[in-house]
Amino acid sequence: MNGTITVNGSSVSIEFEPMATLLDVLRSCGHTEVKRGCSSGECGTCIVLLDGILVNSCQVLMATAVEKEVTTTSGLEKDGSPHPIHEAFADAGAVQCGYCTPGMVMATHALLADNPAPTEDEIREGLVGNLCRCTGYVKVIEGVKLAAQRMADNG
Ligand code: FES
Ligand code: FES
């Protein structure tokens, strides 16, 4: 099969197997910032935005993503500069091995788009689909709070 998707603003034409997932295709065309954890929809490391909707890309058949727009964590950068969520996660110590971080960042982005000032419970609920084996989540929650505060301060 073949088709075109737009990834972080760039159009990509790809040939793919009928059962290939969006995650398979993203990684095979160089978007290794999208991580493979469980491949079964449970860990959230592979989260991207697909036409603005948060999805586990390991659970999306590429055939259903043709002609759609994908945003990965790299797509949140502007002019080569990190997004405030990237910076807040780094500054809060929310990144240890970093494997879960791309998915955490995308889930945080979606959460703050809907709810710019979430409570701690709302943050926990927003990240319920993202597993982290390193941080114990405390620093991640601090990172989300810091990102929310900085994004509010910057308008
Ligand atoms: S790799 Fe997709 S949810 Fe774990
Ligand atoms: S920082 Fe290592 S899995 Fe989350």
Side-chain angles (χ1 to χ4, degrees):
M1 302 179 77
N2 57 64
T4 301
I5 50 172
T6 301
V7 186
N8 300 335
S10 298
S11 179
V12 188
S13 295
I14 332 155
E15 285 194 20
F16 53 92
E17 296 296 322
M19 294 307 289
T21 66
L22 177 59
L23 174 60
D24 295 331
V25 167
L26 287 170
R27 290 188 59 83
S28 72
C29 67
H31 287 283
T32 52
E33 74 272 24
V34 187
K35 302 301 183 194
R36 183 188 301 281
C38 64
S39 293
S40 58
E42 292 179 9
C43 74
T45 60
C46 66
I47 285 177
V48 297
L49 293 177
L50 182 62
D51 276 356
I53 308 283
L54 217 52
V55 297
N56 286 322
S57 59
C58 71
Q59 298 298 294
V60 176
L61 283 177
M62 177 57 205
T64 68
V66 169
E67 304 295 337
K68 294 186 176 174
E69 293 201 13
V70 176
T71 306
T72 75
T73 186
S74 302
L76 300 184
E77 296 175 0
K78 278 223 172 81
D79 302 325
S81 297
H83 189 277
I85 297 172
H86 296 141
E87 293 183 325
F89 269 53
D91 292 346
V95 181
Q96 289 189 25
C97 82
Y99 206 81
C100 69
T101 308
M104 290 279 191
V105 165
M106 296 313 292
T108 300
H109 185 266
L111 171 67
L112 297 183
D114 275 352
N115 179 359
T119 64
E120 184 159 329
D121 282 349
E122 288 168 339
I123 294 171
R124 288 182 184 278
E125 191 169 327
L127 299 183
V128 74
N130 296 78
L131 303 184
C132 176
R133 299 182 71 164
C134 305
T135 64
Y137 301 98
V138 172
K139 298 289 187 187
V140 171
I141 290 163
E142 286 175 13
V144 177
K145 287 180 181 170
L146 186 58
Q149 181 193 326
R150 287 178 177 174
M151 289 166 73
D153 289 349
N154 293 337

